[in-house]
Amino acid sequence: MRVDLHNHTVLCNHATGTMQEYIKKAIELKIDVYGFSEHAPMNFDEKYRMRLEEKEFYESTILYFKDKYSKSIDILLGYEVDFIKSITMLDEILTSNVDYLIGSVHFLESKNNNNDEPWGFDNPEFIGKYQNVNIDKIWEEYFRAIEELAKSNKFDIVGHLDLIKVFKFLPKKDIRLLAKNAIKQIKKSNMTVEINAAGFRKPIEEQYPSKELLELIYEENIPITFSSDAHSVEQVGYGYDKAIKLAKSIGFTKCAIFKSRDRQLVDF
């Protein structure tokens, strides 16, 4: 079964193409289960996410297409929710009637940033801040945030586990040690980790998470799923076969899908 659970729409204000175009592309690629997980509304960084007033439209449109294309593909409804400890997530999203929630860390609140605002570390607009931080400390802070995300027990999937590597500012410390506690907490919280192919399109030129971290995830018997993280029609299914090949080489044989927040494991 071909599964792709993390994809966006124009509602996030930094994607192109219609929902129907994404779906048709997924069908063309013989994807069996395709999930939309738009950047959830939040009272922060509103430029790059959908508005709460668009929630009903987003959900009803996806459910319409789910029914329309039910004979060709299984369409799932989700959200990608930013986890920022100092900013409250919206209950309207956390309690919404969806198939799954992806929890992601895109912002850090480190004092090293010399800024009261959380730092969007994966945004090219703010890449210059890497020159003024201790890289090892930033990586430590990032994985502490992932650990807190898992502890919150609000989400089903951890989004792009090692996103902090996006611009190839890599730590001197062993990444496996930096991520160890976060991975242990992910296991404890019974979460799933996605293999996110967007990294193939970024300066790091590899999937999230790295092979080293995927091996730890396998050792912990943590379920995986697959994601394109598409922000354009052309990105649907991008890097999928490479991600599948990597997962199989490590030993994974099943991946997760979700229905109404209930996880199921299927062969891939």
Side-chain angles (χ1 to χ4, degrees):
M1 183 173 286
R2 294 173 72 86
V3 175
D4 187 353
L5 296 190
H6 182 163
N7 298 284
H8 294 277
T9 76
V10 293
L11 294 175
C12 70
N13 304 310
H14 58 284
T16 59
T18 67
M19 291 184 195
Q20 187 162 259
E21 287 173 327
Y22 282 63
I23 293 166
K24 288 182 175 180
K25 182 66 173 180
I27 293 170
E28 176 187 325
L29 295 173
K30 295 181 168 52
I31 292 171
D32 299 288
V33 182
Y34 186 82
F36 286 102
S37 53
E38 192 52 278
H39 291 284
M42 193 177 210
N43 296 321
F44 176 75
D45 194 47
E46 295 170 89
K47 177 181 175 182
Y48 293 109
R49 65 183 70 253
M50 65 180 284
R51 294 178 288 113
L52 186 58
E53 308 91 85
E54 297 170 317
K55 179 178 184 290
E56 183 178 350
F57 169 79
Y58 169 70
E59 295 181 3
S60 62
T61 303
I62 290 172
L63 292 176
Y64 166 77
F65 285 127
K66 179 181 180 70
D67 180 65
K68 179 176 181 178
Y69 289 99
S70 61
K71 293 182 180 179
S72 303
I73 193 169
D74 189 4
I75 297 172
L76 303 185
L77 169 62
Y79 284 103
E80 180 183 16
V81 184
D82 273 304
F83 180 84
I84 309 171
K85 199 168 182 180
S86 67
I87 297 176
T88 303
M89 295 174 286
L90 300 181
D91 286 339
E92 294 95 328
I93 299 300
L94 297 178
T95 62
S96 55
N97 185 22
V98 294
D99 292 306
Y100 57 92
L101 295 177
I102 299 173
S104 295
V105 173
H106 293 98
F107 298 89
L108 294 179
E109 302 177 276
S110 172
K111 295 178 181 178
N112 291 312
N113 300 335
N114 297 316
N115 193 327
D116 291 335
E117 283 287 308
W119 168 37
F121 61 83
D122 68 323
N123 188 331
E125 292 180 37
F126 308 115
I127 194 172
K129 291 190 177 182
Y130 279 98
Q131 306 304 322
N132 303 311
V133 297
N134 181 309
I135 295 299
D136 280 348
K137 287 184 178 179
I138 287 299
W139 275 72
E140 289 170 0
E141 180 187 352
Y142 174 79
F143 279 113
R144 279 198 300 271
I146 293 290
E147 186 178 354
E148 291 297 323
L149 179 157
K151 281 182 180 178
S152 75
N153 292 307
K154 302 289 188 185
F155 311 106
D156 306 292
I157 302 170
V158 181
H160 33 59
L161 177 62
D162 55 357
L163 180 64
I164 190 70
K165 71 184 179 186
V166 58
F167 296 122
K168 297 182 77 171
F169 293 105
L170 302 177
K172 295 178 182 178
K173 293 184 178 180
D174 188 326
I175 293 172
R176 293 169 296 183
L177 295 177
L178 290 169
K180 181 179 177 181
N181 289 341
I183 290 174
K184 291 285 188 183
Q185 185 60 52
I186 289 167
K187 171 66 175 179
K188 186 175 181 180
S189 297
N190 195 29
M191 296 184 71
T192 297
V193 172
E194 65 171 2
I195 299 181
N196 185 312
F200 291 127
R201 312 190 297 265
K202 304 295 184 177
I204 191 62
E205 296 183 309
E206 72 170 20
Q207 78 293 325
Y208 310 110
S210 66
K211 183 179 180 182
E212 291 84 356
L213 295 187
L214 280 171
E215 288 170 344
L216 290 182
I217 289 162
Y218 181 76
E219 289 172 11
E220 291 288 345
N221 198 29
I222 295 170
I224 59 165
T225 194
F226 295 97
S227 299
S228 296
D229 205 346
H231 287 72
S232 70
V233 176
E234 295 74 22
Q235 292 173 357
V236 173
Y238 183 91
Y240 188 90
D241 290 332
K242 285 199 289 187
I244 289 283
K245 184 178 179 180
L246 173 62
K248 287 184 175 179
S249 74
I250 292 170
F252 292 103
T253 59
K254 295 182 180 293
C255 69
I257 60 174
F258 295 84
K259 301 291 177 71
S260 300
R261 308 294 301 275
D262 180 42
R263 183 172 69 202
Q264 305 170 35
L265 296 179
V266 299
D267 294 329
F268 64 85

